[in-house]
Structure formats: structure tokens, C-alpha cells
Amino acid sequence: ATDEKAIADFFREHAVEGKADTEVVKVAIGWDASQFREKTKEMRSIRDQNEELEPSDPLHAEGLARMRVLKEELESIGRDQAALLKSSGTVVVIFRYAADMRACLRKRAVASLPSRLPGDANRPVVR
């Protein structure tokens, strides 16, 4: 998934059993770092190449056009739209209330998680 708004909407509606309006403060998507590095490296290369070209050179204009495309792809990250970069598959969802976060984790509990989450009062942690 590469659309923060769509992920936030999903968790708002489905995070807590019986609650369709869970407050989601922020969604952070982990991006494919290698793809990000490749694009920034290409931008530096084009910039260096364009510094050696005359502005009237057709290659200079092509370089500027490619830079605009790369910049748009990188700037798509964090907008409320699908990004043009690949996701790493990791997403962090920040809820307004810790109780909602704990309810969501319980709903999606994995065997490796402790049976008591931080903040659960008077229940021992069982590992």
C-alpha cells in the first residue's frame, strides 16, 4: 500500500471491534530505500551533467525534464495519494488514544506478542 489516506481510512473503520470511527493521527509508510537512493543518485548525475552543458543544448532540456519527473516521484511520498515509489511493506499507524492501539493489537494479536500490552493494568506479562 502506498496511499496514507487509504490506510488511515481502513484503520479508522476496522481497527477496533464495534467502532467505525477510531481516531488515527498519522500513518507513516516505510519506503524502499534502494529505490529512493537510485532516484537521488540519478538526479545528482543529471545535475552534474547539466552544469557542463549549455542551456541551449537539447540534452540540457532533456535532463531538466527527467529531473522534473524524478522530483515528482520523490515528492509524491507523504501526500494523501498513492506514491510513485514502492513500499517496503512496513506501515506505522498512530492512534489518538492508547486504548484504541491496544484494542487493535489484541484484535490482530500474533502468537509472538506478549499476552499483556504496555499500559494494561494489573495483568502479568506472559511470554
PDB file of all heavy atoms in Angstrom, residues 51-82:
ATOM      1  N   GLU A  51      25.367  20.908 -15.609  1.00  0.00           N
ATOM      2  CA  GLU A  51      26.280  22.007 -15.279  1.00  0.00           C
ATOM      3  C   GLU A  51      27.351  22.174 -16.359  1.00  0.00           C
ATOM      4  O   GLU A  51      27.869  23.270 -16.551  1.00  0.00           O
ATOM      5  CB  GLU A  51      26.934  21.774 -13.915  1.00  0.00           C
ATOM      6  CG  GLU A  51      25.998  22.019 -12.760  1.00  0.00           C
ATOM      7  CD  GLU A  51      26.630  21.710 -11.410  1.00  0.00           C
ATOM      8  OE1 GLU A  51      27.790  21.250 -11.366  1.00  0.00           O
ATOM      9  OE2 GLU A  51      25.943  21.931 -10.400  1.00  0.00           O
ATOM     10  N   GLU A  52      27.647  21.094 -17.063  1.00  0.00           N
ATOM     11  CA  GLU A  52      28.668  21.137 -18.113  1.00  0.00           C
ATOM     12  C   GLU A  52      28.087  21.453 -19.489  1.00  0.00           C
ATOM     13  O   GLU A  52      28.825  21.652 -20.445  1.00  0.00           O
ATOM     14  CB  GLU A  52      29.415  19.805 -18.154  1.00  0.00           C
ATOM     15  CG  GLU A  52      30.178  19.517 -16.879  1.00  0.00           C
ATOM     16  CD  GLU A  52      30.852  18.160 -16.890  1.00  0.00           C
ATOM     17  OE1 GLU A  52      30.918  17.526 -17.963  1.00  0.00           O
ATOM     18  OE2 GLU A  52      31.304  17.742 -15.814  1.00  0.00           O
ATOM     19  N   LEU A  53      26.755  21.479 -19.598  1.00  0.00           N
ATOM     20  CA  LEU A  53      26.104  21.739 -20.887  1.00  0.00           C
ATOM     21  C   LEU A  53      25.636  23.185 -20.976  1.00  0.00           C
ATOM     22  O   LEU A  53      25.339  23.822 -19.973  1.00  0.00           O
ATOM     23  CB  LEU A  53      24.890  20.811 -21.061  1.00  0.00           C
ATOM     24  CG  LEU A  53      25.157  19.308 -21.116  1.00  0.00           C
ATOM     25  CD1 LEU A  53      23.837  18.549 -21.100  1.00  0.00           C
ATOM     26  CD2 LEU A  53      25.966  18.957 -22.369  1.00  0.00           C
ATOM     27  N   GLU A  54      25.552  23.657 -22.201  1.00  0.00           N
ATOM     28  CA  GLU A  54      24.980  24.980 -22.453  1.00  0.00           C
ATOM     29  C   GLU A  54      23.456  24.874 -22.322  1.00  0.00           C
ATOM     30  O   GLU A  54      22.872  23.860 -22.716  1.00  0.00           O
ATOM     31  CB  GLU A  54      25.331  25.457 -23.876  1.00  0.00           C
ATOM     32  CG  GLU A  54      26.803  25.714 -24.092  1.00  0.00           C
ATOM     33  CD  GLU A  54      27.299  26.890 -23.266  1.00  0.00           C
ATOM     34  OE1 GLU A  54      26.557  27.879 -23.118  1.00  0.00           O
ATOM     35  OE2 GLU A  54      28.429  26.807 -22.765  1.00  0.00           O
ATOM     36  N   PRO A  55      22.798  25.898 -21.788  1.00  0.00           N
ATOM     37  CA  PRO A  55      21.334  25.859 -21.663  1.00  0.00           C
ATOM     38  C   PRO A  55      20.628  25.647 -23.003  1.00  0.00           C
ATOM     39  O   PRO A  55      19.506  25.128 -23.041  1.00  0.00           O
ATOM     40  CB  PRO A  55      20.989  27.221 -21.070  1.00  0.00           C
ATOM     41  CG  PRO A  55      22.223  27.642 -20.349  1.00  0.00           C
ATOM     42  CD  PRO A  55      23.368  27.069 -21.149  1.00  0.00           C
ATOM     43  N   SER A  56      21.273  26.008 -24.115  1.00  0.00           N
ATOM     44  CA  SER A  56      20.650  25.832 -25.429  1.00  0.00           C
ATOM     45  C   SER A  56      20.784  24.393 -25.957  1.00  0.00           C
ATOM     46  O   SER A  56      20.115  24.026 -26.929  1.00  0.00           O
ATOM     47  CB  SER A  56      21.280  26.795 -26.433  1.00  0.00           C
ATOM     48  OG  SER A  56      22.676  26.558 -26.516  1.00  0.00           O
ATOM     49  N   ASP A  57      21.599  23.577 -25.312  1.00  0.00           N
ATOM     50  CA  ASP A  57      21.814  22.186 -25.733  1.00  0.00           C
ATOM     51  C   ASP A  57      20.537  21.370 -25.476  1.00  0.00           C
ATOM     52  O   ASP A  57      19.972  21.426 -24.386  1.00  0.00           O
ATOM     53  CB  ASP A  57      22.993  21.604 -24.943  1.00  0.00           C
ATOM     54  CG  ASP A  57      23.459  20.261 -25.488  1.00  0.00           C
ATOM     55  OD1 ASP A  57      22.590  19.440 -25.876  1.00  0.00           O
ATOM     56  OD2 ASP A  57      24.679  20.030 -25.506  1.00  0.00           O
ATOM     57  N   PRO A  58      20.080  20.592 -26.470  1.00  0.00           N
ATOM     58  CA  PRO A  58      18.878  19.759 -26.281  1.00  0.00           C
ATOM     59  C   PRO A  58      19.015  18.762 -25.122  1.00  0.00           C
ATOM     60  O   PRO A  58      18.037  18.443 -24.461  1.00  0.00           O
ATOM     61  CB  PRO A  58      18.726  19.017 -27.613  1.00  0.00           C
ATOM     62  CG  PRO A  58      19.537  19.783 -28.595  1.00  0.00           C
ATOM     63  CD  PRO A  58      20.601  20.500 -27.837  1.00  0.00           C
ATOM     64  N   LEU A  59      20.239  18.282 -24.865  1.00  0.00           N
ATOM     65  CA  LEU A  59      20.449  17.360 -23.750  1.00  0.00           C
ATOM     66  C   LEU A  59      20.171  18.041 -22.403  1.00  0.00           C
ATOM     67  O   LEU A  59      19.738  17.397 -21.455  1.00  0.00           O
ATOM     68  CB  LEU A  59      21.875  16.803 -23.773  1.00  0.00           C
ATOM     69  CG  LEU A  59      22.185  15.795 -24.874  1.00  0.00           C
ATOM     70  CD1 LEU A  59      23.662  15.397 -24.829  1.00  0.00           C
ATOM     71  CD2 LEU A  59      21.299  14.567 -24.746  1.00  0.00           C
ATOM     72  N   HIS A  60      20.438  19.352 -22.348  1.00  0.00           N
ATOM     73  CA  HIS A  60      20.161  20.118 -21.122  1.00  0.00           C
ATOM     74  C   HIS A  60      18.659  20.105 -20.844  1.00  0.00           C
ATOM     75  O   HIS A  60      18.228  19.848 -19.713  1.00  0.00           O
ATOM     76  CB  HIS A  60      20.690  21.554 -21.274  1.00  0.00           C
ATOM     77  CG  HIS A  60      20.639  22.349 -20.018  1.00  0.00           C
ATOM     78  ND1 HIS A  60      19.516  23.031 -19.618  1.00  0.00           N
ATOM     79  CD2 HIS A  60      21.581  22.550 -19.066  1.00  0.00           C
ATOM     80  CE1 HIS A  60      19.763  23.632 -18.481  1.00  0.00           C
ATOM     81  NE2 HIS A  60      21.014  23.365 -18.118  1.00  0.00           N
ATOM     82  N   ALA A  61      17.858  20.346 -21.873  1.00  0.00           N
ATOM     83  CA  ALA A  61      16.394  20.352 -21.721  1.00  0.00           C
ATOM     84  C   ALA A  61      15.875  18.966 -21.347  1.00  0.00           C
ATOM     85  O   ALA A  61      14.981  18.828 -20.501  1.00  0.00           O
ATOM     86  CB  ALA A  61      15.734  20.839 -23.003  1.00  0.00           C
ATOM     87  N   GLU A  62      16.448  17.931 -21.954  1.00  0.00           N
ATOM     88  CA  GLU A  62      16.048  16.558 -21.612  1.00  0.00           C
ATOM     89  C   GLU A  62      16.366  16.255 -20.157  1.00  0.00           C
ATOM     90  O   GLU A  62      15.570  15.616 -19.449  1.00  0.00           O
ATOM     91  CB  GLU A  62      16.772  15.547 -22.521  1.00  0.00           C
ATOM     92  CG  GLU A  62      16.256  15.483 -23.929  1.00  0.00           C
ATOM     93  CD  GLU A  62      17.050  14.496 -24.777  1.00  0.00           C
ATOM     94  OE1 GLU A  62      17.611  13.519 -24.218  1.00  0.00           O
ATOM     95  OE2 GLU A  62      17.121  14.716 -25.999  1.00  0.00           O
ATOM     96  N   GLY A  63      17.525  16.701 -19.706  1.00  0.00           N
ATOM     97  CA  GLY A  63      17.922  16.493 -18.313  1.00  0.00           C
ATOM     98  C   GLY A  63      16.966  17.177 -17.351  1.00  0.00           C
ATOM     99  O   GLY A  63      16.570  16.605 -16.331  1.00  0.00           O
ATOM    100  N   LEU A  64      16.587  18.419 -17.688  1.00  0.00           N
ATOM    101  CA  LEU A  64      15.641  19.148 -16.837  1.00  0.00           C
ATOM    102  C   LEU A  64      14.287  18.447 -16.784  1.00  0.00           C
ATOM    103  O   LEU A  64      13.661  18.367 -15.715  1.00  0.00           O
ATOM    104  CB  LEU A  64      15.477  20.587 -17.332  1.00  0.00           C
ATOM    105  CG  LEU A  64      16.683  21.504 -17.158  1.00  0.00           C
ATOM    106  CD1 LEU A  64      16.390  22.879 -17.769  1.00  0.00           C
ATOM    107  CD2 LEU A  64      17.061  21.625 -15.704  1.00  0.00           C
ATOM    108  N   ALA A  65      13.853  17.923 -17.921  1.00  0.00           N
ATOM    109  CA  ALA A  65      12.568  17.218 -17.960  1.00  0.00           C
ATOM    110  C   ALA A  65      12.629  15.954 -17.097  1.00  0.00           C
ATOM    111  O   ALA A  65      11.692  15.662 -16.335  1.00  0.00           O
ATOM    112  CB  ALA A  65      12.201  16.851 -19.405  1.00  0.00           C
ATOM    113  N   ARG A  66      13.731  15.215 -17.195  1.00  0.00           N
ATOM    114  CA  ARG A  66      13.878  13.997 -16.380  1.00  0.00           C
ATOM    115  C   ARG A  66      13.948  14.349 -14.891  1.00  0.00           C
ATOM    116  O   ARG A  66      13.390  13.651 -14.046  1.00  0.00           O
ATOM    117  CB  ARG A  66      15.127  13.222 -16.815  1.00  0.00           C
ATOM    118  CG  ARG A  66      15.386  11.978 -16.027  1.00  0.00           C
ATOM    119  CD  ARG A  66      14.296  10.931 -16.196  1.00  0.00           C
ATOM    120  NE  ARG A  66      14.564   9.780 -15.340  1.00  0.00           N
ATOM    121  CZ  ARG A  66      13.643   9.032 -14.781  1.00  0.00           C
ATOM    122  NH1 ARG A  66      12.365   9.253 -15.003  1.00  0.00           N
ATOM    123  NH2 ARG A  66      13.978   8.020 -14.019  1.00  0.00           N
ATOM    124  N   MET A  67      14.628  15.451 -14.571  1.00  0.00           N
ATOM    125  CA  MET A  67      14.708  15.906 -13.171  1.00  0.00           C
ATOM    126  C   MET A  67      13.314  16.203 -12.623  1.00  0.00           C
ATOM    127  O   MET A  67      13.014  15.873 -11.479  1.00  0.00           O
ATOM    128  CB  MET A  67      15.584  17.158 -13.060  1.00  0.00           C
ATOM    129  CG  MET A  67      17.045  16.891 -13.240  1.00  0.00           C
ATOM    130  SD  MET A  67      17.834  16.260 -11.768  1.00  0.00           S
ATOM    131  CE  MET A  67      17.992  17.751 -10.823  1.00  0.00           C
ATOM    132  N   ARG A  68      12.463  16.832 -13.435  1.00  0.00           N
ATOM    133  CA  ARG A  68      11.090  17.132 -13.001  1.00  0.00           C
ATOM    134  C   ARG A  68      10.319  15.857 -12.688  1.00  0.00           C
ATOM    135  O   ARG A  68       9.603  15.774 -11.706  1.00  0.00           O
ATOM    136  CB  ARG A  68      10.358  17.964 -14.047  1.00  0.00           C
ATOM    137  CG  ARG A  68      10.667  19.451 -13.991  1.00  0.00           C
ATOM    138  CD  ARG A  68       9.706  20.265 -14.842  1.00  0.00           C
ATOM    139  NE  ARG A  68       9.873  20.006 -16.270  1.00  0.00           N
ATOM    140  CZ  ARG A  68      10.782  20.604 -17.049  1.00  0.00           C
ATOM    141  NH1 ARG A  68      11.593  21.496 -16.546  1.00  0.00           N
ATOM    142  NH2 ARG A  68      10.863  20.314 -18.331  1.00  0.00           N
ATOM    143  N   VAL A  69      10.486  14.838 -13.546  1.00  0.00           N
ATOM    144  CA  VAL A  69       9.806  13.554 -13.331  1.00  0.00           C
ATOM    145  C   VAL A  69      10.292  12.908 -12.035  1.00  0.00           C
ATOM    146  O   VAL A  69       9.493  12.456 -11.208  1.00  0.00           O
ATOM    147  CB  VAL A  69      10.022  12.603 -14.535  1.00  0.00           C
ATOM    148  CG1 VAL A  69       9.555  11.199 -14.211  1.00  0.00           C
ATOM    149  CG2 VAL A  69       9.322  13.140 -15.768  1.00  0.00           C
ATOM    150  N   LEU A  70      11.606  12.869 -11.839  1.00  0.00           N
ATOM    151  CA  LEU A  70      12.166  12.267 -10.624  1.00  0.00           C
ATOM    152  C   LEU A  70      11.718  13.030  -9.376  1.00  0.00           C
ATOM    153  O   LEU A  70      11.364  12.421  -8.357  1.00  0.00           O
ATOM    154  CB  LEU A  70      13.695  12.241 -10.702  1.00  0.00           C
ATOM    155  CG  LEU A  70      14.295  11.289 -11.718  1.00  0.00           C
ATOM    156  CD1 LEU A  70      15.777  11.570 -11.922  1.00  0.00           C
ATOM    157  CD2 LEU A  70      14.066   9.845 -11.299  1.00  0.00           C
ATOM    158  N   LYS A  71      11.733  14.344  -9.463  1.00  0.00           N
ATOM    159  CA  LYS A  71      11.315  15.163  -8.321  1.00  0.00           C
ATOM    160  C   LYS A  71       9.847  14.903  -7.979  1.00  0.00           C
ATOM    161  O   LYS A  71       9.483  14.788  -6.810  1.00  0.00           O
ATOM    162  CB  LYS A  71      11.543  16.640  -8.637  1.00  0.00           C
ATOM    163  CG  LYS A  71      11.313  17.556  -7.475  1.00  0.00           C
ATOM    164  CD  LYS A  71      11.668  18.990  -7.816  1.00  0.00           C
ATOM    165  CE  LYS A  71      11.402  19.876  -6.617  1.00  0.00           C
ATOM    166  NZ  LYS A  71      11.647  21.275  -6.902  1.00  0.00           N
ATOM    167  N   GLU A  72       9.007  14.776  -8.994  1.00  0.00           N
ATOM    168  CA  GLU A  72       7.584  14.486  -8.763  1.00  0.00           C
ATOM    169  C   GLU A  72       7.406  13.135  -8.078  1.00  0.00           C
ATOM    170  O   GLU A  72       6.599  12.993  -7.165  1.00  0.00           O
ATOM    171  CB  GLU A  72       6.823  14.507 -10.089  1.00  0.00           C
ATOM    172  CG  GLU A  72       5.334  14.231  -9.941  1.00  0.00           C
ATOM    173  CD  GLU A  72       4.623  14.266 -11.275  1.00  0.00           C
ATOM    174  OE1 GLU A  72       4.742  15.279 -11.986  1.00  0.00           O
ATOM    175  OE2 GLU A  72       3.957  13.264 -11.599  1.00  0.00           O
ATOM    176  N   GLU A  73       8.178  12.140  -8.521  1.00  0.00           N
ATOM    177  CA  GLU A  73       8.097  10.813  -7.907  1.00  0.00           C
ATOM    178  C   GLU A  73       8.507  10.873  -6.442  1.00  0.00           C
ATOM    179  O   GLU A  73       7.853  10.287  -5.583  1.00  0.00           O
ATOM    180  CB  GLU A  73       8.970   9.820  -8.668  1.00  0.00           C
ATOM    181  CG  GLU A  73       8.430   9.475 -10.034  1.00  0.00           C
ATOM    182  CD  GLU A  73       9.365   8.595 -10.846  1.00  0.00           C
ATOM    183  OE1 GLU A  73      10.456   8.219 -10.343  1.00  0.00           O
ATOM    184  OE2 GLU A  73       9.004   8.280 -11.991  1.00  0.00           O
ATOM    185  N   LEU A  74       9.578  11.583  -6.137  1.00  0.00           N
ATOM    186  CA  LEU A  74      10.029  11.688  -4.749  1.00  0.00           C
ATOM    187  C   LEU A  74       9.069  12.522  -3.905  1.00  0.00           C
ATOM    188  O   LEU A  74       8.848  12.219  -2.736  1.00  0.00           O
ATOM    189  CB  LEU A  74      11.438  12.273  -4.692  1.00  0.00           C
ATOM    190  CG  LEU A  74      12.538  11.381  -5.257  1.00  0.00           C
ATOM    191  CD1 LEU A  74      13.863  12.123  -5.289  1.00  0.00           C
ATOM    192  CD2 LEU A  74      12.656  10.094  -4.467  1.00  0.00           C
ATOM    193  N   GLU A  75       8.493  13.554  -4.482  1.00  0.00           N
ATOM    194  CA  GLU A  75       7.568  14.404  -3.732  1.00  0.00           C
ATOM    195  C   GLU A  75       6.207  13.752  -3.525  1.00  0.00           C
ATOM    196  O   GLU A  75       5.420  14.216  -2.705  1.00  0.00           O
ATOM    197  CB  GLU A  75       7.400  15.762  -4.427  1.00  0.00           C
ATOM    198  CG  GLU A  75       8.622  16.638  -4.277  1.00  0.00           C
ATOM    199  CD  GLU A  75       8.488  17.973  -4.991  1.00  0.00           C
ATOM    200  OE1 GLU A  75       7.532  18.148  -5.770  1.00  0.00           O
ATOM    201  OE2 GLU A  75       9.353  18.826  -4.762  1.00  0.00           O
ATOM    202  N   SER A  76       5.926  12.682  -4.250  1.00  0.00           N
ATOM    203  CA  SER A  76       4.644  12.010  -4.057  1.00  0.00           C
ATOM    204  C   SER A  76       4.596  11.323  -2.701  1.00  0.00           C
ATOM    205  O   SER A  76       3.527  11.008  -2.197  1.00  0.00           O
ATOM    206  CB  SER A  76       4.400  10.995  -5.177  1.00  0.00           C
ATOM    207  OG  SER A  76       5.241   9.869  -5.036  1.00  0.00           O
ATOM    208  N   ILE A  77       5.750  11.095  -2.091  1.00  0.00           N
ATOM    209  CA  ILE A  77       5.803  10.472  -0.766  1.00  0.00           C
ATOM    210  C   ILE A  77       5.181  11.418   0.245  1.00  0.00           C
ATOM    211  O   ILE A  77       5.501  12.586   0.303  1.00  0.00           O
ATOM    212  CB  ILE A  77       7.258  10.171  -0.360  1.00  0.00           C
ATOM    213  CG1 ILE A  77       7.882   9.198  -1.327  1.00  0.00           C
ATOM    214  CG2 ILE A  77       7.331   9.655   1.063  1.00  0.00           C
ATOM    215  CD1 ILE A  77       9.355   8.994  -1.121  1.00  0.00           C
ATOM    216  N   GLY A  78       4.276  10.885   1.068  1.00  0.00           N
ATOM    217  CA  GLY A  78       3.705  11.669   2.148  1.00  0.00           C
ATOM    218  C   GLY A  78       2.442  12.411   1.791  1.00  0.00           C
ATOM    219  O   GLY A  78       1.752  12.896   2.655  1.00  0.00           O
ATOM    220  N   ARG A  79       2.121  12.503   0.518  1.00  0.00           N
ATOM    221  CA  ARG A  79       0.856  13.132   0.154  1.00  0.00           C
ATOM    222  C   ARG A  79      -0.266  12.154   0.411  1.00  0.00           C
ATOM    223  O   ARG A  79      -0.056  10.961   0.568  1.00  0.00           O
ATOM    224  CB  ARG A  79       0.850  13.492  -1.329  1.00  0.00           C
ATOM    225  CG  ARG A  79       1.820  14.574  -1.699  1.00  0.00           C
ATOM    226  CD  ARG A  79       1.610  14.909  -3.156  1.00  0.00           C
ATOM    227  NE  ARG A  79       2.685  15.744  -3.638  1.00  0.00           N
ATOM    228  CZ  ARG A  79       2.998  15.873  -4.908  1.00  0.00           C
ATOM    229  NH1 ARG A  79       2.319  15.227  -5.832  1.00  0.00           N
ATOM    230  NH2 ARG A  79       3.969  16.659  -5.283  1.00  0.00           N
ATOM    231  N   ASP A  80      -1.469  12.661   0.438  1.00  0.00           N
ATOM    232  CA  ASP A  80      -2.635  11.801   0.612  1.00  0.00           C
ATOM    233  C   ASP A  80      -3.047  11.216  -0.731  1.00  0.00           C
ATOM    234  O   ASP A  80      -4.180  11.339  -1.168  1.00  0.00           O
ATOM    235  CB  ASP A  80      -3.798  12.580   1.239  1.00  0.00           C
ATOM    236  CG  ASP A  80      -3.547  12.872   2.703  1.00  0.00           C
ATOM    237  OD1 ASP A  80      -2.738  12.156   3.309  1.00  0.00           O
ATOM    238  OD2 ASP A  80      -4.159  13.809   3.227  1.00  0.00           O
ATOM    239  N   GLN A  81      -2.088  10.601  -1.398  1.00  0.00           N
ATOM    240  CA  GLN A  81      -2.347   9.947  -2.678  1.00  0.00           C
ATOM    241  C   GLN A  81      -1.370   8.795  -2.807  1.00  0.00           C
ATOM    242  O   GLN A  81      -0.419   8.691  -2.045  1.00  0.00           O
ATOM    243  CB  GLN A  81      -2.155  10.916  -3.836  1.00  0.00           C
ATOM    244  CG  GLN A  81      -0.721  11.386  -3.994  1.00  0.00           C
ATOM    245  CD  GLN A  81      -0.580  12.332  -5.154  1.00  0.00           C
ATOM    246  OE1 GLN A  81      -1.531  12.949  -5.573  1.00  0.00           O
ATOM    247  NE2 GLN A  81       0.610  12.448  -5.675  1.00  0.00           N
ATOM    248  N   ALA A  82      -1.606   7.956  -3.741  1.00  0.00           N
ATOM    249  CA  ALA A  82      -0.699   6.829  -3.942  1.00  0.00           C
ATOM    250  C   ALA A  82       0.659   7.352  -4.389  1.00  0.00           C
ATOM    251  O   ALA A  82       0.751   8.142  -5.312  1.00  0.00           O
ATOM    252  CB  ALA A  82      -1.269   5.874  -4.982  1.00  0.00           C
TER     253      ALA A  82
END
